[in-house]
Each structure stands twice: as structure tokens, then as C-alpha cells.
Amino acid sequence: MNPTKQVNQNTNQNPDQGKLLQTDASPEISFKAVNKSFARLDGYEKVTGRVAFGADISKYRQIYAVNVLSPLAHAKIMQIDLSQAMKVPGFTAAATAADVPGSNSMFGRFPVLAAEEVKFIGDGVAVIAAETREAAVLAASLVKVTYRELPAVLTVKEALAPEAPRVHPDLEDNHIEHSHHKMYSGNVETGFSQADIILERDYTTGFAYTGYIEPEAVAVYPDPGRNGIVIEGTIQNPYSVRENVAAALGVPMNHVRVIQTAIGGSFGGKDESVIVMAARCAVLAAKTRRPVKMVLSREESSRIGGKRHPYFSHYRIGATRDGTITAIEDTVYAQGGAYNKQAMFLNWRGSVHAAGPYRIPHVKTDIYGVYTHTLYGTAYRGFSAPQLVFAVESLIDELAEACRLDPLEFRLRNCLKPGDTIPSGQTLDPEKMPANLREILLAVTDKTGFKKKWQENRIRAIQPGHQNLKQLTPQQLSGIGLSATYRGAGLGGEGLDTGAAVLTLDRDGYLNIQSSSTEMGQGIRTAHAQIAAEVLGISMDRVSFSPTDTSITLDAGPTVASRGILSGGNAVKIAAEKIRARLASAAVEILGCTRNPHPSRNGGKEALEFSNDTVYLSACPENSISLTELAMECHRNRGIPLTAQGWFTPEPEKLDHATGQGNAYPTYLFGAAVAEITLDPGTGKISVKKITAAYELGRAVNPDIVIGQLTGSIMQGLGYGIMEEIDVRSGALQTLNFDEYMLPGVMDLPEVDILLYETDSNVGPYGAKGIGEIGIELIAPAIANAFFNATGRRIRELPLNFERALLGKALR
Amino acid sequence: MKPLAILQPETISEVIAVIDEYDNRALCIAGATDVMIALRNRELPEATELLVDISRIAELQGIREDENLIKIAAGTTHTEIEQDPLLQHYAPCLCAAARSIGSPQIRNRGTMGGNIVTAAQCADTIPPLMVLSAEIVLVSRCGTRILPIEEFFTGPKKTARRNNELVTEIRFAKPPPNARGYFYKLMRKETVAKARISIAALAEQSLDGTISLLRLSPGSVTPRPRRFYPVEQLLEGRKPDEHLIEEAAGKTAEIMVSITGRRWSTPYKEPVLRTLAARALKEILTIEEQPHVQ
């Protein structure tokens, strides 16, 4: 088994985290650039306000586009009257479904503009362009649409009722195509017959808004230099935008050039909404031959921007009296909304993880996606995990209670260990995947004194009369809760996980990276630069990057699923290694030595060293050449190309999609968290005091960025757990801005103590597995379990806001 | 939308002359924390033609002591209120309320006059002003009108201010030296959050423990801000004990329900207001220890 290195990271107390990592590094591994907290490559531009975000785009003669959105959940469009809108001074153009030149059905059945009928409150009916945004807003408000209202299905229950109106009449019912995923192993009836204790529980989570600081913005303009259009904007997945807009315009993909601007947060969300916006603006740009810009207001972004899918999970679980889980059976429904680009992938990921990080011999999971006449679900950090980990980790706590074991003891007894097999039949090979969940659970609980605190609170909570405290005492009840998770790295069986990069070492010895992964604040540019710098021994200030531009960078799918490091980073590493090999071939001649027949990853064993912007003989460091001279020599005299492509695809997964059996993901991350809360028993107000979380992440390419990602994730998890709730009464979104939608602010930040566990997993570059998502999923269940610990009451619905915490249920 | 003119007068008398002439077509703007949002959302009053920027009028700035009165000029910002030593001494509950408003940016811009003229149900400074028995000074061409704060609020977002009147000052008599004030705001997050429920209270006890003065005003629970007189009357003249406080707290919740009726939020607000009232009273009243009977 590979050694595990633990690195203490306390965000509140150790500002100098990078240094800590260095001093703790295992002696046998020493890195030059990786595993160090370099400043972000794009940091200066961002903190000084120089960077251009989507809304900053301004083009000569641009016009402004504004959407006309449906006020009804389901209705037939009878007539669209533009006459009043056209009278507004400054009105330039309008488009409806009839103006879409190509296909009006994009991936996931999203129309550019609704043609026959609207399917949710927020569906686009028309788009108006005018000389100013104000004129466009006014004109859009004057578009008169006549609807004939139709019966709508607003909940999963309504959608699945017999004879329910169908969201898509060409389908047999409201099940989303290919969204039912199964994970069957063993025989659950056998498992339940062995159980002494069986629990059956329902857990519910609602929509959650990504709430990025920057609302969506795009600008579309006729390409000034060639046939086609250019799209710039706050786009997470430029290749998806290119493909869908090309189809909508009926042109080949190379007529659509997509350039990503800096993005003020995305978290998976700037996908469907920007595709639709770009397509609408493209139709207007084609019609007017003028640049068309669309920037959503916060209210519009709330209506059509990224939302996590609601999950309705029914679980049945059994255990023997001594606390060994024998079987788990679950049926889960994801509310997909009116259109769907995600449920088939989301639910597949969900099906792999629905039984939690436990060794359970008999598992039966069925996850379904359901169309409703409501806003649609998108990818949002976690991609099924925040919903399911809340359910499973609440359930495990309940089962532990029923078995009269404390939550730690119960988890230690059942958690996955190296060599165990997960429900898909995949074995956690100790060499490749050192599943150290046990170690992690012990670390977070030791560090917090979990057992003692949990027992004390529990004893207090079951004392008779404790509920009387409710009325008068200002005394806060304290609670402590535990949760654990594991997470497949990258796309796994969701789809082809290829990453791509092109690296160019210029003749002056400076490097440029064109990566297929997009930067959206997560720091991928810096991480990729560190990986390239590690290979080439080049200093970080010599590394730059190309903006993401579909006419420059390579199409290797979307930047999702925390795959920027695993597949994107490996692609960078491969390209850098190619350049290194070419440089080495020149260097051996110049320095006059023989080439090592095995110049590979056995660090320190090569004849040549690449370090400090210099190449030298390992045996004789004085015999050296600077990278600048070497690059110049290759360019000028030797004709050696110093541009290289790297493509990387993780091992093909052997997976049977019909049964879910096979190797689901190339590797897994593990995590555990403890939440310490106080509850005001008089108001139901939960204050999260401290989160202690540990993650096994392979390797932290840039520890500061990793801590930043995890801390942000933890905050989003906290909001999901106790604050964030989208009110969609009658299908209409009530929570349109941050006065109603409660996103946690900086003053809500608890003390955060993050422990990083590094292992030499050989799948990602230098072992790194990708840390973008795992931070979020542990927090809501840890809080819910802490609430139980404080009160003896269990809340099975998120968020645990004042009303649920006090009354046990939502007010409406 | 009609084009709006903006005027930036330098004195109160200029403002009064303009608003007298324009009547409901003029709208005063100070911190702009409400007006700008209304402007963006196209929710300004239909008739508005002229914005009168009163944020630079020196006479509308500052907090001063005038014999027994504390006078807060209407243009004083929440930040200034939060940090003012005079107010910290005489009305800490008002400073606490100002500190709980929005974010530092909003507190730097928003003014006390704006907070009360907007008269939002959840306005944070109103409950403390209610228990301080503040008065609102309104100036118009016809002269000066001074209204007790309770008479100022006539309904949700409605006040007794006439179109030609400018609120120039909010003032209150210094509370008795041994009076104790209290303010609490229940919020869903720690910054930039509206009050779910707030409560302000002020009490004085005589030397023998008898409650000689009690004022109580919960916020965000009734359509217009109110003092809860029956609760005050229940307590005044009596010596507090746990039982009396519970009774008063129960009465507070009862009054709220009698005003609003049973609404969807009542199952939450009723018990919580009772709790918050009890806590407020416990905090400001000293309960004499009962002698131990051996």
C-alpha cells in the first residue's frame, strides 16, 4: 500500500499553508513546482480589476438583447404581437421561434425560443434587441403574447400520476430519456432477511441556485475576418456552445468561434443558460449583421441560471444487531424540469454512490429523472452527491442510533477499506486506490473530540424536560455531527474523459499552454502551469496561457466533473514530456553525453536534469545549457518543433450500463467532516461554529488553491444545509434576488479546519485526482446529524432553516 | 419611462420650496439605498419627475444634544449612528439596530430619515425609536410639525408625511439614567439580511424593583410599527418575576396574532415572538432573588 501523507491545513490559523506542505513532504518525493502554493497566473489581473468579464465586452455598433420570458408554466402560444415593442425608440430587431434558421431543438430538447408551447415560467418566447439596454427592456415588456393555458405538472408526484399531462408529448410519459440508472448487487431480499433492524426513510432536497457573483453575459458578432460568427461570454463549456449554436444557425461548427471571457464563478451552472442566450443572440446577429450583447439581471439569472436538481429519495436499509449493514435499497427521483441536459449523467453518477462509502453486500438502487413544467436542473458542484450524501449520511446516523452505536463506531464498522468491492463490482485496488476512509474518520473525530462531545450532547438531549428549554432560555444547544463520502474522480462511465493540451516553448525559453480545460476561478491555469513547470524545470513566471477559444484550443469536452486536473492535467503533462524529450535530444548532443535509454518518470535517475530554467548533466551539473539557449538552438539551427500536443484518456472503463456493473471510475477520493453547531432552541437558528474536514485527494498541485476550493465548497454546503431555498410556488420562482435567496456571506463563515491526505495514486498527474466538488457534499448531512445530536430530532428535508429547525417542517 | 430631472439644493429652505411646488412629482433622495432600487425596478411613484438630492445639505447632518433632547438630523447615516458616542451612551439599542442594517456599504449610504420615511415593515431603526418615544420633525412652507413616532406610521410603507413636507430631524428625550434598553434582530444570515423578527425594549425599575417604565416594540410582525401597550401596562407598577415575564411574553404574541390574524407564518412567529419578548424582558429587568426558605 502506498504511504499516506497527512498535511494539516487550518485556514484560520495557518496563513502560510504552502510552507507547511513542503516541510511535511515525504522525503522520497521532492517536487520542483507541483505541491507548492504559487500565486495564481491570472491573480494580478483579477485583484487589480483589469480582467474583462462578460459584461465588460463592448463592440462597435453593438445592440442589446433582452428576453421575453413565459409567465406561465404550461401554455400554448396563440399569438405574439410585436407591434407595440417595435414602436419603442431604439428598437432594432426581434426574433421568435420562426426566425431560427437551423434546428430549434438543441441538446436536451432546449429550444432556442419556444415554438408551439411554453413549458416553464421562464421559457423564452421572443428576444428583442435595441440600441440601449433600457430600450430593449422596455420593448420586451411591451411584447404581447396571447397564451392558452394548459394543465401543468409542477412536482414529481404530479408528473408521475397516471394520465398526467406530458411535458414532451412525443414521449410515453414524463420519465427523462436514459435517466433511469440501476445499481444492483447481491440480492436485497436475502440481505434484509439477515437484518435485525430495518429502517425505511424519505429524504428531500430542493432546487439550489449556483448564485455566482457574476450573472451570465454573452456577446455575439459577425466574424470580422471570415464567414461565421464569434461568441464571447461567461461560458463554462465553449464546445457545447459551439455545437448547439452551429446547429441552431444551420452552419458547420467551424463557422462558430467561441471565446471564453473571464468568469465570475460558474460551478457547473453557466451551461444551459448561456447556450440558450448565445443561440438567441446569434439569431439576432445573423438577422441584423450587428454585434448583439445580452447580460442577465440577477432576477433573470435566478430564473434561468444554474440550479441543482431536487432529489426525492426513498431508502430502506437493514443491519444486524451488532451494527453490520446487510442490505440497502433505494428509489430516487430527480426533478429535471422542462428540458434536460444532465439527468442521464447525473443519475448515473448517483447510482454508483447511492449506497454511500460502505461495504454492503446487497444493494439495489434505482434512480429516475422526471420532466416537470418547472425550471430545469443543471450541473451544480457535486452533481447528485450533495443530494444523495445528505440522504445516505442521515440514514447511516439513524441506523447507528437504532443499533445503539455512536455514529463513528458504526461508520468504522462498515466503511470501505482497501481491497473492498463497491456495488458496481469494482474492487478498490490497494495499490491504485488506498481507501483510507477509516484513517480519515479517525482523524476528524480525534481532532474535534467527537466521541465525548457527541455522548454529552446526546445524554442531554434525551433527558426529560429538555424540550421545556425551548421557551425561555437563551441557552444555546450544542451539537456535533459526522459525515463521510467517497467520490469517483472525473467523468468515469458518464462519458469519454479525454483531456487535451498544446504546449509551445518559444525560442526565448518561455512556455505557453493551450488547454482544453476552462478557467472559471478554480485555478486550473495555475495548476496546469505547475504541472508543465514540474516536467520542464521551467520557472512559473515563464509560463503563460492562451485564452479558451474554440478556434485555438482543442475540443476535449466540457470542464466538469472535477476533470480539469485528472484528464486535463495529464494532457498537459504528456505534452510537456514530449517537449522535454525533444529538448533532451538536442541537449545530449550539445552537452556531449549519452542519452539515458529510459528517460521517464523515475525522478533523479536521468542523465539530464531540467531545473531552474537550465538543462544539465546529472553527474556534472556544471555542464549545462540554459533553457533559453537550448530553445533558441532548437528553433534556429535544428528544426526541432517545440510545440506538442498531449491527449489523455483514463483507462477505458469496463462498464455494463444495463446493470451498472463494472469499473465505474478510474479512482476515488475519500472524505469525512465534522460539523459543530449551536442551535437557539427558541428561534430555530442554527449557527455553524466549526467545520473540520479531511480529504484524500491524491496530491494537492497547489495547496492554497485547494484550500480555497474546499473552503468555498464548504460554504456552499453550509448554505445548502441551513439557508438556501428556492420557492417555486405554482411553478413561479419567488426567490429572485439575494434579499430572498439566502446565500451565506463572509460573516457566516465558521472556523474551518481542513486536513489534506496525499497518496501516490497513479491515475492523475503526480497523483492529483481533482478537488473541485468533493468539499460541498459532506456539510449539509454533518449539520443535520449535529442537529439530531443537539435535539434528538431528525430533519429529513433541506435546508434546516429556522422554521424546520423549530417546528420540524416547512411553513408552506 | 419619463426622463427624470435631478436637483441638488444646498439648504433645507430650498428643498422645501421645491417640494412645495412639485408636490407628488418630487421625490427626495438621500442615501439612495431604496430609491435606486426602485428606479432600476421601475417602481418609482408614477408621478415622479424630479429627484431632489438632499444628501449634501449640511443642516441635515449630525447628532446633537439639546438640553434633555437628543436630536438626529435626518441625513445622518447608519454608520454615524452606530458609532456616535452620544447615542452609544443614551440609546445603545439604536446603535445596535443601526449596526445590524445591511452591509458596511449600505450603512455608509443609508440614512435614518430614509429608513423611517420608507417605512418598511422590517426597518431596523424603527423599533428602537418607538421605545425611545421619538418624535419626527417635519418642515414645510407652512411651518414645522412635530409628530410622535407612532402617529407617523399609518400603514405598511405609509406615513403621515405630506408631499410638501421634509423630515428634518428625529429626536427623543434622554431616557432616565438607569433605564436599560434592548434590541435583537433575528436574521437568516449574519449580514445583508432583513429582520425575520426584531424586538426593542426599554425599562426602568425603581429602587425597590418596581417597574416604573416599560416600553416594548417588536419589528417585522405587524403591518405598521407599534408599541405593545397592553404588555407595557401589564408590567408597569409591578415587580417582575419569571411568571410575570412569561405572562407578558405570552401577551406579546397574543397581541401580534390579534392584529395580523392567523397567517401562514403564525405557527413560527407566535412561539418565537413569545421567546424573544421573554428574553428581552429578562435582559432589561432585574428580578429580585426570592429569599430562600429553609
Side-chain angles (χ1 to χ4, degrees):
Chain A
M1 189 181 148
N2 290 316
T4 299
K5 182 183 65 167
Q6 188 212 317
V7 182
N8 285 336
Q9 300 281 348
N10 188 318
T11 51
N12 290 352
Q13 285 160 18
N14 302 321
D16 215 350
Q17 290 153 359
K19 264 188 191 158
L20 243 175
L21 246 175
Q22 258 174 285
T23 52
D24 282 12
S26 325
E28 67 272 24
I29 310 167
S30 91
F31 294 111
K32 296 183 284 257
V34 158
N35 215 214
K36 296 183 185 2
S37 291
F38 283 104
R40 300 172 68 115
L41 249 54
D42 51 356
Y44 181 81
E45 285 66 26
K46 283 183 173 163
V47 298
T48 53
R50 287 175 41 188
V51 80
F53 289 94
D56 296 324
I57 304 164
S58 183
K59 295 281 163 194
Y60 177 62
R61 292 191 77 230
Q62 80 185 2
I63 49 180
Y64 298 82
V66 169
N67 297 305
V68 178
L69 302 178
S70 164
L72 298 172
H74 187 204
K76 192 164 171 54
I77 301 168
M78 306 303 287
Q79 197 197 5
I80 302 172
D81 177 4
L82 298 168
S83 58
Q84 292 305 308
M86 291 167 80
K87 286 180 192 158
V88 172
F91 170 92
T92 322
T96 64
D99 297 292
V100 178
S103 164
N104 194 22
S105 179
M106 298 184 289
F107 187 66
R109 295 173 172 263
F110 280 85
V112 178
L113 289 159
E116 302 284 317
E117 60 170 46
V118 289
K119 295 188 192 295
F120 78 103
I121 295 178
D123 217 348
V125 180
V127 61
I128 303 293
E131 298 293 339
T132 63
R133 184 174 147 76
E134 289 69 26
V137 169
L138 180 62
S141 74
L142 294 173
V143 174
K144 207 174 151 231
V145 185
T146 314
Y147 297 100
R148 185 159 60 79
E149 200 167 356
L150 297 167
V153 290
L154 300 175
T155 62
V156 165
K157 208 174 163 186
E158 285 171 23
L160 295 179
E163 308 298 312
R166 277 167 295 167
V167 179
H168 296 283
D170 61 309
L171 300 178
E172 268 177 31
D173 55 26
N174 287 319
H175 281 96
I176 294 172
E177 310 92 296
H178 313 298
S179 72
H180 174 204
H181 288 284
K182 300 175 212 173
M183 183 61 70
Y184 298 168
S185 76
N187 179 332
V188 281
E189 286 322 313
T190 309
F192 284 117
S193 70
Q194 294 161 355
D196 301 311
I197 295 155
I198 296 174
L199 297 184
E200 210 162 333
R201 295 286 185 270
D202 289 296
Y203 301 93
T204 301
T205 63
F207 282 109
Y209 176 36
T210 40
Y212 16 69
I213 195 165
E214 175 207 34
E216 294 85 342
V218 297
V220 181
Y221 48 94
D223 196 314
R226 56 183 199 139
N227 205 351
I229 57 159
V230 184
I231 300 171
E232 287 189 61
T234 59
I235 294 159
Q236 175 166 345
N237 303 316
Y239 301 98
S240 315
V241 170
R242 180 176 67 158
E243 186 171 5
N244 282 289
V245 173
L249 293 181
V251 300
M253 288 201 290
N254 70 5
H255 284 208
V256 179
R257 177 181 174 197
V258 182
I259 302 169
Q260 185 210 37
T261 63
I263 292 190
S266 183
F267 314 110
K270 283 172 179 164
D271 189 7
E272 288 89 338
S273 55
V274 289
I275 290 175
V276 165
M277 289 165 68
R280 289 174 192 164
C281 291
V283 171
L284 286 170
K287 205 169 168 177
T288 59
R289 306 300 300 161
R290 288 178 69 176
V292 181
K293 178 176 173 181
M294 182 187 281
V295 181
L296 297 190
S297 66
R298 178 59 68 186
E299 289 80 1
E300 288 171 303
S301 175
S302 291
R303 282 200 177 92
I304 68 170
K307 311 286 178 324
R308 180 174 295 131
H309 294 72
Y311 263 46
F312 304 90
S313 310
H314 179 80
Y315 271 86
R316 190 165 166 238
I317 191 166
T320 54
R321 211 170 298 286
D322 72 340
T324 305
I325 306 172
T326 58
I328 190 166
E329 181 176 10
D330 53 274
T331 309
V332 179
Y333 290 95
Q335 183 174 348
Y339 307 108
N340 167 64
K341 192 171 169 290
Q342 311 289 349
M344 50 289 199
F345 309 120
L346 176 88
N347 285 356
W348 181 77
R349 174 175 277 279
S351 72
V352 177
H353 298 91
Y358 302 101
R359 187 174 38 181
I360 307 178
H362 307 285
V363 177
K364 184 169 185 283
T365 290
D366 286 277
I367 306 193
Y368 303 87
V370 179
Y371 285 117
T372 52
H373 289 111
T374 60
L375 47 102
Y376 52 86
T378 67
Y380 176 13
R381 203 176 215 164
F383 210 55
S384 79
Q387 300 97 316
L388 288 173
V389 178
F390 166 68
V392 174
E393 287 304 292
S394 297
L395 180 73
I396 291 294
D397 245 45
E398 295 201 54
L399 187 57
E401 184 68 23
C403 294
R404 298 178 181 281
L405 283 171
D406 77 50
L408 173 63
E409 209 47 56
F410 188 83
R411 284 180 173 83
L412 290 176
R413 201 162 290 193
N414 291 286
C415 74
L416 287 171
K417 297 171 184 69
D420 279 352
T421 300
I422 63 170
S424 76
Q426 184 173 10
T427 299
L428 301 174
D429 177 352
E431 286 305 314
K432 279 170 73 181
M433 289 172 253
N436 57 352
L437 188 54
R438 187 186 163 80
E439 196 182 339
I440 287 175
L441 278 165
L442 288 170
V444 290
T445 49
D446 280 355
K447 194 134 193 242
T448 50
F450 177 83
K451 263 195 138 150
K452 186 163 172 286
K453 287 179 186 169
W454 191 88
Q455 297 286 3
E456 283 169 6
N457 295 333
R458 187 74 194 109
I459 288 164
R460 196 209 53 234
I462 56 175
Q463 269 168 2
H466 131 265
Q467 293 297 328
N468 294 343
L469 288 169
K470 229 172 146 177
Q471 296 306 321
L472 284 180
T473 176
Q475 184 203 332
Q476 303 271 314
L477 301 178
S478 51
I480 189 164
L482 177 64
S483 63
T485 192
Y486 80 132
R487 180 177 187 86
L491 286 174
E494 281 172 49
L496 196 64
D497 204 353
T498 299
V502 178
L503 268 60
T504 300
L505 188 69
D506 285 325
R507 60 177 69 189
D508 60 359
Y510 281 61
L511 184 74
N512 188 62
I513 301 176
Q514 294 161 238
S515 170
S516 65
S517 309
T518 59
E519 175 68 54
M520 44 201 147
Q522 84 277 43
I524 198 70
R525 300 237 190 271
T526 310
H528 282 180
Q530 285 179 245
I531 290 167
E534 184 68 38
V535 175
L536 292 170
I538 193 170
S539 50
M540 280 291 284
D541 55 13
R542 286 191 174 206
V543 187
S544 191
F545 56 87
S546 294
T548 301
D549 176 336
T550 57
S551 71
I552 296 172
T553 42
L554 301 172
D555 178 2
T559 302
V560 296
S562 311
R563 65 190 285 265
I565 281 287
L566 185 75
S567 63
N570 262 328
V572 168
K573 186 161 175 271
I574 288 166
E577 283 165 353
K578 285 184 183 171
I579 293 177
R580 180 183 162 126
R582 292 176 201 163
L583 290 170
S585 67
V588 288
E589 287 179 31
I590 296 164
L591 300 177
C593 64
T594 51
R595 232 182 135 183
N596 187 320
H598 305 293
S600 69
R601 296 158 197 181
N602 308 323
K605 298 246 171 74
E606 288 183 77
L608 287 173
E609 274 292 331
F610 284 67
S611 188
N612 296 323
D613 305 319
T614 308
V615 180
Y616 57 88
L617 296 183
S618 306
C620 177
E622 301 82 58
N623 194 357
S624 72
I625 180 168
S626 77
L627 206 55
T628 303
E629 285 174 83
L630 185 56
M632 188 66 86
E633 175 67 20
C634 290
H635 270 278
R636 204 168 268 176
N637 298 329
R638 292 174 187 256
I640 295 175
L642 295 184
T643 292
Q645 272 191 13
W647 290 85
F648 174 80
T649 308
E651 277 181 36
E653 303 312 328
K654 295 171 217 76
L655 195 76
D656 177 2
H657 271 286
T659 59
Q661 290 295 298
N663 284 355
Y665 290 91
T667 186
Y668 295 84
L669 295 90
F670 295 85
V674 168
E676 290 174 76
I677 67 163
T678 58
L679 168 76
D680 180 338
T683 62
K685 180 171 178 156
I686 292 172
S687 303
V688 181
K689 296 296 177 192
K690 187 172 181 186
I691 298 288
T692 306
Y695 301 95
E696 185 278 311
L697 76 168
R699 180 146 286 105
V701 174
N702 185 313
D704 274 3
I705 293 179
V706 165
I707 293 295
Q709 282 278 298
L710 290 171
T711 308
S713 300
I714 286 168
M715 280 303 274
Q716 283 183 322
L718 185 151
Y720 190 55
I722 65 173
M723 292 179 195
E724 297 177 38
E725 183 159 37
I726 289 184
D727 186 350
V728 273
R729 244 172 296 149
S730 318
L733 197 64
Q734 312 289 325
T735 38
L736 289 174
N737 210 325
F738 296 130
D739 55 341
E740 298 290 342
Y741 188 71
M742 293 292 128
L743 216 53
V746 69
M747 298 305 285
D748 301 295
L749 178 70
E751 186 183 348
V752 176
D753 188 359
I754 295 173
L755 315 166
L756 299 181
Y757 282 81
E758 298 196 315
T759 55
D760 295 327
S761 154
N762 59 3
V763 180
Y766 303 102
K769 301 179 189 179
I771 198 71
E773 294 171 281
I774 193 172
I776 194 169
E777 63 209 48
L778 289 165
I779 308 308
I783 293 171
N785 290 342
F787 178 84
F788 172 79
N789 183 234
T791 61
R793 291 189 290 127
R794 177 65 59 181
I795 309 277
R796 302 190 182 90
E797 192 175 302
L798 291 180
L800 275 71
N801 58 12
F802 296 171
E803 293 78 4
R804 284 194 187 89
L806 190 77
L807 307 171
K809 59 181 173 42
L811 280 176
R812 54 181 169 195
Chain B
M1 193 172 63
K2 278 178 295 189
L4 284 173
I6 186 153
L7 193 72
Q8 211 166 57
E10 278 167 19
T11 63
I12 290 178
S13 53
E14 284 176 65
V15 177
I16 287 162
V18 170
I19 63 176
D20 195 75
E21 185 192 334
Y22 274 75
D23 194 70
N24 68 342
R25 291 174 294 142
L27 186 69
C28 287
I29 172 168
T33 54
D34 287 316
V35 174
M36 290 302 283
I37 293 167
L39 192 64
R40 174 179 173 273
N41 291 343
R42 298 158 182 275
E43 286 164 359
L44 283 187
E46 190 76 22
T48 311
E49 290 173 13
L50 179 70
L51 293 180
V52 184
D53 175 12
I54 55 172
S55 65
R56 305 201 180 176
I57 298 174
E59 300 160 85
L60 289 177
Q61 307 294 326
I63 298 152
R64 62 201 170 89
E65 196 173 2
D66 184 355
E67 298 194 348
N68 192 39
L69 289 177
I70 302 291
K71 296 179 167 178
I72 304 170
T76 307
T77 65
H78 302 307
T79 302
E80 287 162 337
I81 287 165
E82 178 191 336
Q83 294 172 356
D84 185 70
L86 208 57
L87 289 176
Q88 279 171 359
H89 182 72
Y90 288 109
C93 63
L94 183 60
C95 301
R99 193 175 306 125
S100 77
I101 294 172
S103 60
Q105 295 93 324
I106 291 169
R107 295 196 289 275
N108 285 341
R109 292 292 313 171
T111 66
M112 165 136 295
N115 205 221
I116 66 158
V117 169
T118 303
Q121 209 188 349
C122 59
D124 293 312
T125 62
I126 293 174
L129 291 172
M130 296 291 282
V131 300
L132 290 164
S133 286
E135 293 174 329
I136 313 298
V137 180
L138 298 125
V139 180
S140 73
R141 194 158 235 177
C142 315
T144 299
R145 222 164 41 114
I146 298 173
L147 282 181
I149 187 159
E150 288 152 82
E151 290 173 30
F152 184 75
F153 300 107
T154 54
K157 294 213 165 191
K158 287 200 171 67
T159 71
R161 190 186 68 86
R162 297 168 189 145
N163 285 331
N164 68 343
E165 285 179 322
L166 177 71
V167 172
T168 57
E169 188 177 283
I170 295 95
R171 63 193 205 182
F172 56 88
K174 292 175 189 168
N178 52 349
R180 292 160 79 176
Y182 178 88
F183 175 79
Y184 178 78
K185 175 180 173 183
L186 179 63
M187 343 183 227
R188 293 191 190 272
K189 49 190 268 196
E190 297 305 318
T191 49
V192 209
K194 285 189 279 197
R196 182 76 175 96
I197 300 179
S198 65
I199 191 163
L202 187 81
E204 188 200 20
Q205 280 170 283
S206 53
L207 286 176
D208 71 347
T210 309
I211 302 168
S212 49
L213 168 92
L214 197 121
R215 299 179 193 148
L216 184 76
S217 179
S220 280
V221 295
T222 51
R224 69 174 173 83
R226 288 170 188 263
R227 288 259 298 275
F228 278 33
Y229 288 111
V231 180
E232 300 179 359
Q233 284 153 9
L234 173 73
L235 291 163
E236 278 179 352
R238 295 175 69 177
K239 287 187 186 178
D241 58 29
E242 293 265 357
H243 183 74
L244 182 66
I245 287 176
E246 275 197 57
E247 190 186 340
K251 198 165 190 72
T252 309
E254 220 172 88
I255 293 170
M256 174 190 73
V257 177
S258 75
I259 293 168
T260 61
R262 294 216 161 258
R263 308 174 62 228
W264 64 273
S265 59
T266 310
Y268 178 77
K269 285 192 168 178
E270 190 179 22
V272 173
L273 181 58
R274 188 165 61 223
T275 302
L276 295 183
R279 286 181 189 171
L281 295 171
K282 275 195 160 182
E283 187 69 27
I284 56 173
L285 294 174
T286 307
I287 297 175
E288 265 180 53
E289 293 292 321
Q290 297 296 316
H292 283 282
V293 182
Q294 292 293 328

